[in-house]
Amino acid sequence: MKALLCTLLLGLGILGLCSCAEQSEPESAAETTAAVTTVTTKAATTSAAAVTTTEPLPESRIEKDMQLRADADSVVPWGCTVELENRSDEKREYTRKCRILNAETGRECQIREGYADETAKRFGIQPEETAELNLNWAEHYGDLASGKYLLQLILEESEDEDPLVCETEITVTAEGYVPVLSIAPEDVKNTGVTLTIDNQTDVGRSYVYVYRLYDETGGQHRELLRMFDQEAQLNANNYAAPGETLKLTFKWSDTYGDLPDGSYRLEIEMLADGEEVGKTYHADFKIG
């Protein structure tokens, strides 16, 4: 009888071990899946880091003796024509590679995913010589959005330090012909700002008197005021001819008060010659 009881207990023990083994397999599979997911997440993070914008170049890496000038009429979202002048007293070398930086922040624009950098061919330029170059940055950055940029032509590359460049500012119009609005830091006060409107060369455009001010601090988009610009109407300074620069001064201290430190956006409407409906444009600025 004891022998029979031991045999039964042994059989039950074996069945229990089999049952535990079957239940442990899904846990092992779950651990394997989690590990794969973690690796995938790290790979995605690495890819994103590869296109993170770079720090601005130190002034010592911007060559002043090599003058770069862009033909404003040739600038399109994917390239432009520039003139490179050697103002030094010796022969210099340069490449046809360029860097595009945001003019406001000084940081490089985002590089297209999958772009493979290559060693650039070098060219020579004699003292007092001027070379005309057709630059295309479509493969490197893609088409640029409308705005102001710093175009840097790479003269020398090094594995140990930043490239040596010369630079010039360009203005890109991405879609059709639109005016470019900007507010220079020296034109910003707590009481108001001066807006610069660089109109395109296609048609004249009129400012439609009403402007809106938004608080953009901390990523918000909160309207602070919507004002009728009586000064622009009374002084008749609301029309920009083709290719003309128009400056408008906005003051809100009397009706709204002084603005605290923060990030802001000024929006206006402009009506192009021959159109019946105005289009909204904006310029961002900071206080403090």
Side-chain angles (χ1 to χ4, degrees), residues 100-111:
I100 307 295
L101 283 64
N102 182 295
E104 181 179 352
T105 64
R107 294 181 178 275
E108 186 176 9
C109 296
Q110 181 168 304
I111 300 171

Side-chain angles (χ1 to χ4, degrees), residues 78-94:
W78 56 89
C80 70
T81 299
V82 298
E83 286 185 342
L84 176 66
E85 181 182 359
N86 181 5
R87 293 187 176 181
S88 69
D89 56 0
E90 59 182 12
K91 181 181 178 180
R92 302 295 300 272
E93 292 188 339
Y94 66 94

Side-chain angles (χ1 to χ4, degrees), residues 3-141:
L4 179 60
L5 183 59
C6 289
T7 302
L8 288 173
L9 290 174
L10 180 61
L12 289 173
I14 293 174
L15 288 173
L17 289 174
C18 292
S19 176
C20 291
E22 290 176 355
Q23 292 176 0
S24 64
E25 288 180 358
E27 294 178 3
S28 176
E31 292 173 0
T32 303
T33 303
V36 172
T37 302
T38 302
V39 172
T40 303
T41 302
K42 289 181 180 178
T45 302
T46 302
S47 175
V51 295
T52 300
T53 54
T54 59
E55 292 294 331
L57 282 177
E59 284 294 322
S60 60
R61 303 303 294 168
I62 299 177
E63 179 55 73
K64 304 299 183 182
D65 288 335
M66 298 287 278
Q67 294 293 308
L68 190 66
R69 298 182 295 272
D71 178 2
D73 294 334
S74 74
V75 178
V76 290
W78 56 89
C80 70
T81 299
V82 298
E83 286 185 342
L84 176 66
E85 181 182 359
N86 181 5
R87 293 187 176 181
S88 69
D89 56 0
E90 59 182 12
K91 181 181 178 180
R92 302 295 300 272
E93 292 188 339
Y94 66 94
T95 75
R96 293 179 182 269
K97 291 178 65 175
C98 60
R99 288 165 32 114
I100 307 295
L101 283 64
N102 182 295
E104 181 179 352
T105 64
R107 294 181 178 275
E108 186 176 9
C109 296
Q110 181 168 304
I111 300 171
R112 293 183 62 182
E113 186 174 357
Y115 172 77
D117 198 10
E118 297 179 357
T119 302
K121 183 179 178 180
R122 303 186 64 79
F123 301 88
I125 182 170
Q126 298 293 337
E128 306 303 325
E129 182 183 355
T130 298
E132 184 176 280
L133 312 175
N134 294 317
L135 304 179
N136 188 309
W137 52 75
E139 291 186 1
H140 197 167
Y141 302 103

Side-chain angles (χ1 to χ4, degrees), residues 115-227:
Y115 172 77
D117 198 10
E118 297 179 357
T119 302
K121 183 179 178 180
R122 303 186 64 79
F123 301 88
I125 182 170
Q126 298 293 337
E128 306 303 325
E129 182 183 355
T130 298
E132 184 176 280
L133 312 175
N134 294 317
L135 304 179
N136 188 309
W137 52 75
E139 291 186 1
H140 197 167
Y141 302 103
D143 290 354
L144 300 179
S146 296
K148 293 183 182 294
Y149 297 89
L150 289 177
L151 169 62
Q152 294 183 337
L153 185 70
I154 295 178
L155 304 175
E156 298 176 7
E157 291 184 288
S158 172
E159 294 182 356
D160 302 325
E161 57 184 345
D162 294 317
L164 181 67
V165 305
C166 54
E167 68 178 21
T168 187
E169 185 173 281
I170 60 173
T171 299
V172 173
T173 301
E175 297 179 2
Y177 288 89
V178 298
V180 178
L181 277 62
S182 60
I183 300 174
E186 61 268 22
D187 292 333
V188 175
K189 297 180 181 179
N190 297 78
T191 56
V193 298
T194 296
L195 174 70
T196 299
I197 303 172
D198 295 317
N199 191 25
Q200 286 293 340
T201 57
D202 56 339
V203 296
R205 290 178 171 84
S206 300
Y207 164 52
V208 194
Y209 300 123
V210 176
Y211 72 91
R212 297 176 292 275
L213 183 65
Y214 294 90
D215 187 351
E216 303 282 320
T217 307
Q220 62 180 323
H221 184 66
R222 181 169 61 92
E223 183 177 285
L224 298 180
L225 71 157
R226 184 185 299 253
M227 294 289 294

Side-chain angles (χ1 to χ4, degrees), residues 239-276:
Y239 182 74
E244 185 181 61
T245 295
L246 173 66
K247 287 184 177 288
L248 296 171
T249 298
F250 299 90
K251 297 179 181 178
W252 46 73
S253 56
D254 294 339
T255 55
Y256 181 81
D258 294 356
L259 292 179
D261 292 353
S263 300
Y264 299 93
R265 169 168 294 184
L266 180 70
E267 283 189 357
I268 69 169
E269 287 188 15
M270 297 197 75
L271 187 67
D273 291 348
E275 293 183 345
E276 296 182 357

